[in-house]
Amino acid sequence: MSFIKGLKCRECGREYPKEPLHVCEFCFGPLEVDYDYQGIQRVLSREVIAQRPFTMWRYRELLPLDEEPMVGLRVGGTPLIKADRLAKALGAAELYIKNDAVNFPTLSFKDRVVAVALSKAKEFGFEVVACASTGNLANSVAALAATNGLRSYVFIPADLEQGKVLGTLIYGTQLIGIKGSYDEVNRLCSEIAGKYGWAFVNINIRPYYAEGSKTFGFETAEQLGWRLPRHIVVPMAGGSLITKIWKAFQELQKVGLIEKSECRIHGAQATGCAPITTAFKEGADLIKPVKPQTIAKSLAIGNPADGFYALKTIRESGGWAEDISDEEIIEAMKLLAETEGIFTETAGGVTVGVAQKLLEKGAIPKEESIVISITGNGLKTQEAILGKVGAAQVINAKLNEFEALVREK
Ligand SMILES: *Cc1c(COP(=O)(O)O)cnc(C)c1O
Ligand SMILES: [Zn+2]
């Protein structure tokens, strides 16, 4: 049973049918999926959800499919851990990590959006799926397309980390490396999407795709015992995830799954690509595109498609936006690994480091509950820490050499 009414323009409110559309013909505003929330409230309860498998699909009434999901049936259901050792290091009282570094199958939160996008693409009858990616989306589209016999074309900046490149090629996709930044990749893909009848997950079926991000928020609230944290720190690339976590929290209140409550949503970027946090700090409404230069390549979008709405989300929720340097990103990756045993990619370094900065300056009060979003896995961005974490001490397989080495310490 489906509860999607159709698509609706975020700007002028015009309604559109459930089709592969993404911009309003009248005002060029982005289209968003519109649901029958009263209908959902009638069928969806905490008890109903609790009986379902712990995957992202346990909230399926709040996802934009008309049929049963066909792709990525085991995506989601990642751990929310109470991070006491990291909390102590940061001087926070109640800190949690939502850990999508172990999301199945490709170890980033992108599996959530791709599971929805490819299921929807199959409903629409597409045979070829495609994406413009900063890396994790590439892995996820290639893997999930492979499991469903869909042909895939994946477009990336040619200079991505090897883990992301190999972690795409292994699935037998058509991988196209563009000499240029993500923003140039995206511009080319918009032209291709208009010309070829392919489902570009983050272009022509973006309204459906983006809804998958909400499950990160749904799970977080459920894992906290059906409540919101007072703060959540979210990484921003195109600015979609942060707006959808906010939407998820609103929807849970709208359908009566949680009490009315407030959560401040804080946006995190790398200083080398910080168009959204810069606009926030300057009090601007418009985002000035930048040329990215940072090790946080998964967040390196200089002209963020949802930047305007990301800013709005942060401001309406009473949150902050902050950015940190590449050195700080590496320090934060190490801190998370050494305190909680979680090896995150550079994007996770960004959220941990920004949380630290917001705590230090008092933007997040130390005694209030905080969730830090970890969205990707460190094994994919090894270049970033090469030479920054020491090296193995190499000896011959002789006890005396080992003992000499231990004595030196
Ligand atoms: C894509 C991505 C994000 C953020 O994506 P948005 O474009 O802002 O939705 C965050 N973290 C990682 C690891 C990503 O790959
Ligand atoms: Zn419109």
Side-chain angles (χ1 to χ4, degrees):
M1 182 149 171
S2 163
F3 295 93
I4 334 173
K5 291 203 283 189
L7 297 173
K8 198 170 176 180
C9 173
R10 276 196 80 145
E11 289 305 317
C12 73
R14 265 199 179 74
E15 292 175 5
Y16 290 84
K18 296 180 244 185
E19 281 169 18
L21 301 169
H22 68 297
V23 269
C24 175
E25 287 172 21
F26 294 89
C27 74
F28 301 106
L31 303 183
E32 195 175 29
V33 181
D34 191 21
Y35 298 88
D36 167 14
Y37 290 111
Q38 288 183 345
I40 295 172
Q41 182 157 17
R42 275 196 294 275
V43 300
L44 197 61
S45 64
R46 293 178 184 183
E47 293 69 38
V48 166
I49 292 169
Q51 284 162 12
R52 295 175 176 170
F54 190 39
T55 72
M56 63 179 276
W57 299 109
R58 68 206 258 114
Y59 316 100
R60 62 175 172 256
E61 286 81 356
L62 290 159
L63 292 171
L65 300 187
D66 285 311
E67 296 164 23
E68 288 295 305
M70 291 179 264
V71 179
L73 300 186
R74 290 175 52 200
V75 175
T78 61
L80 180 86
I81 63 152
K82 184 125 191 294
D84 289 335
R85 285 171 48 80
L86 179 62
K88 197 159 171 230
L90 300 183
E94 189 185 353
L95 181 67
Y96 305 86
I97 301 285
K98 175 62 175 168
N99 188 11
D100 266 18
V102 292
N103 200 11
F104 176 86
T106 70
L107 309 179
S108 88
F109 99 91
K110 289 297 197 303
D111 292 325
R112 299 177 184 273
V113 279
V114 174
V116 173
L118 298 199
S119 291
K120 200 68 198 173
K122 287 192 79 157
E123 280 186 15
F124 284 140
F126 285 104
E127 279 159 17
V128 181
V129 295
C131 69
S133 172
T134 58
N136 284 313
L137 186 58
N139 297 169
S140 193
V141 165
L144 289 172
T147 65
N148 278 267
L150 288 159
R151 277 206 297 140
S152 61
Y153 282 83
V154 168
F155 298 78
I156 54 169
D159 69 349
L160 278 193
E161 301 96 340
Q162 209 180 99
K164 298 226 170 118
V165 173
L166 297 178
T168 304
L169 287 169
I170 187 71
Y171 302 110
T173 185
Q174 297 288 320
L175 180 66
I176 295 138
I178 306 293
K179 296 177 200 156
S181 67
Y182 172 83
D183 299 285
E184 289 166 279
V185 175
N186 192 49
R187 187 152 29 80
L188 171 66
C189 287
S190 298
E191 284 179 54
I192 297 171
K195 196 160 171 186
Y196 292 70
W198 298 347
F200 267 88
V201 301
N202 53 344
I203 302 176
N204 54 336
I205 56 171
R206 189 175 179 88
Y208 306 94
Y209 154 93
E211 290 290 292
S213 288
K214 294 191 305 191
T215 61
F216 190 95
F218 295 150
E219 286 176 17
T220 300
E222 184 181 358
Q223 287 168 308
L224 284 172
W226 291 111
R227 67 181 175 102
L228 301 184
R230 290 287 293 133
H231 304 269
I232 184 165
V233 182
V234 184
M236 301 185 293
S240 176
L241 174 64
I242 192 168
T243 61
K244 292 297 172 173
I245 288 178
W246 175 237
K247 185 177 182 190
F249 290 171
Q250 306 288 319
E251 285 182 343
L252 292 178
Q253 298 174 52
K254 216 179 272 187
V255 302
L257 284 166
I258 59 170
E259 308 267 299
K260 280 248 161 293
S261 47
E262 272 168 31
C263 172
R264 294 178 194 267
I265 310 211
H266 307 281
Q269 295 201 293
T271 305
C273 181
I276 306 175
T277 59
T278 303
F280 177 85
K281 290 175 187 175
E282 291 174 350
D285 280 332
L286 286 183
I287 305 227
K288 267 195 243 106
V290 300
K291 204 164 181 284
Q293 186 57 254
T294 170
I295 56 167
K297 290 176 189 273
S298 58
L299 304 183
I301 298 185
N303 188 10
D306 290 301
F308 174 77
Y309 297 103
L311 263 182
K312 211 168 135 175
T313 295
I314 295 165
R315 289 189 177 131
E316 280 181 16
S317 75
W320 288 75
E322 196 45 270
D323 49 82
I324 57 168
S325 70
D326 284 1
E327 292 70 41
E328 290 171 311
I329 292 171
I330 292 166
E331 283 314 306
M333 287 168 71
K334 284 159 83 169
L335 180 64
L336 180 65
E338 289 172 9
T339 53
E340 300 297 337
I342 294 173
F343 184 15
T344 183
E345 72 150 78
T346 46
V350 170
T351 49
V352 171
V354 162
Q356 180 169 24
K357 204 159 170 181
L358 293 175
L359 279 158
E360 277 165 8
K361 67 181 204 184
I364 298 180
K366 291 191 155 58
E367 64 285 357
E368 297 185 352
S369 58
I370 310 164
V371 169
I372 298 178
S373 312
I374 296 300
T375 49
N377 193 296
L379 290 170
K380 297 194 203 180
T381 63
Q382 296 185 36
E383 290 90 336
I385 53 158
L386 208 57
K388 313 274 176 163
V389 286
Q393 296 167 286
V394 180
I395 55 171
N396 291 305
K398 296 219 167 81
L399 185 60
N400 63 350
E401 289 195 25
F402 171 70
E403 288 184 328
L405 190 136
V406 174
R407 265 199 305 278
E408 278 169 30
K409 291 271 161 179

